[in-house]
Amino acid sequence: MLFFFGCIALLIAGYFIYGTFVDRIFGSDENRVTPAVAMADGIDYMVMPKWKLIFIQVLDIAGIGPIFGPILGALYGPVAMIWIVIGCIFGGAVHDYFSGMLSVRNNGASIPEVVGEYLGMPARQVMRLFSFVLLMLVGVVFVLSPAKLLNGLTGINTGLLVACIFGYYFLATILPIDKIIGRIYPLLGFLLLAMTTALFIALMFSSHQVLPDLSFSNMHPGEKPIWPLLFITISCSAISGFHSTQSPLMARCVENERQGRAVFYGSMIIEGIIGLIWCALGVSFYDNPQALSAVIAAGSPSAVVAEVSNSLLGSIGGGLAILAVIVLPITSGDTAFRSTRLIVAETFKMKQEAVSKRLIISVPLFVIGFIISTQNFSTIWRYFGFSNQCLSALVLWASAAYLAQRGKLHWIATLPAVFMTAVCVTFIANAKIGFGLGYDTSVIIGLIGAAVVFAIFLFKYVFSGKTAVETSA
């Protein structure tokens, strides 16, 4: 119990101490005019209250990651919670802060344009294609997964639910951001936080012991190695590249740069707390990792969500808890399609004030999305975890380049970038979906690969002596 609350305390302290440190290094300026003010269009660019921005950002970036990832991570034991704390404070929150604030400094640009601004045109073009594919996959999966969960909760035909969710996504993609997203997200965010907290309180007063085994050895029943798999498995609660595609949505609505720490860094800390709770539920509710693994194998992490929620809170409370989980993919799926619209618009330089311009982009996107939803793309989706963390590394490298070019302390972004590069290279070298090399060989390749990228970065951005003049960014 003390270990869990210690982890929560560290995350909160991380926001106030390290978050303030990061914000100071970046140099947020309350007197600088933000895109929400300078480029207000009543559609994507508009000032919104900070409390709304925080709720929207939390739901934008979450998806099912802070639930399913920690449940799967719980198979490793309490060591997973250490990764959530360290990864969130020094990796994910830094990543989210810079992806949001660099967008603010670049007129609310989407992440491919931000990365291209600091890493060059080749990186911009790769990011455009990469982000489009990633967001389309996320959007479609976040139609199918909530539809299946709702079917189990209500019994309504899955096909009908898919159609309804697609219809909602279409409206959320083309309407002004304050019409749907700005109105319902705060309510849904409150439901998520309330039910997540209720589950842990119920766990404390149940017959289950909170964190009964505090062994920090690898407890995974499948003997899967902690490095690099834990850092791929738990992404959204620690660090996730998908978040960088969502942060620009709120970067277009921030009234003052001083709000950035709360909106971007703070939202990631909230997600880390949600992840900690679900990881603790996974470790504590079941007698051992083998029992947890059996439930996951029989019905995926969603079966764990249903069993834990109904057991701890009863049928009504459990239903509300499950509904709060269903909210997550829906509130990330709609913004995934909205982000895709904006990335396409920026690529082809299409203004989005006119509804006809939004429809020109959105209609083909949803046709493509529907076609994808009818296909069996499970093999493609297995690359998502790897691709997601590659994206996080790339965004961190762009952030490090921004800082180095301005003579600022780039290490706050460089160190997590090196770490995530090592994770990604090791994973793809060792995984069956990659090169399938031996574990020891893959670890060596991962370390060498990260060292090479680090050396290139130092010679290009640090030792070259070139600095950027602080202008619009």
Side-chain angles (χ1 to χ4, degrees), residues 165-193:
I165 294 172
F166 260 126
Y168 162 72
Y169 283 3
F170 185 77
L171 291 176
T173 298
I174 65 171
L175 289 177
I177 195 165
D178 63 334
K179 298 306 180 186
I180 295 180
I181 294 174
R183 289 181 180 178
I184 68 171
Y185 271 39
L187 296 175
L188 298 178
F190 176 78
L191 174 65
L192 169 65
L193 296 178

Side-chain angles (χ1 to χ4, degrees), residues 43 46 48 175-182 249-250 253 338:
I43 305 297
M46 65 179 70
M48 295 178 69
L175 289 177
I177 195 165
D178 63 334
K179 298 306 180 186
I180 295 180
I181 294 174
L249 293 179
M250 292 302 94
C253 301
R338 190 179 185 95

Side-chain angles (χ1 to χ4, degrees), residues 8-92:
I8 296 290
L10 285 173
L11 283 178
I12 295 173
Y15 168 73
F16 286 103
I17 299 173
Y18 197 68
T20 300
F21 178 66
V22 169
D23 188 55
R24 186 175 296 130
I25 290 174
F26 176 80
S28 62
D29 183 358
E30 63 182 353
N31 296 315
R32 194 168 188 145
V33 178
T34 63
V37 176
M39 302 172 65
D41 62 3
I43 305 297
D44 299 302
Y45 291 83
M46 65 179 70
V47 171
M48 295 178 69
K50 184 172 73 172
W51 69 271
K52 277 193 175 184
L53 297 179
I54 293 172
F55 272 118
I56 295 172
Q57 177 72 0
V58 169
L59 293 177
D60 279 355
I61 65 178
I64 53 177
I67 312 295
F68 286 13
I71 288 174
L72 293 169
L75 294 171
Y76 290 90
V79 67
M81 300 174 72
I82 297 177
W83 163 234
I84 291 174
V85 172
I86 296 176
C88 187
I89 294 172
F90 299 103

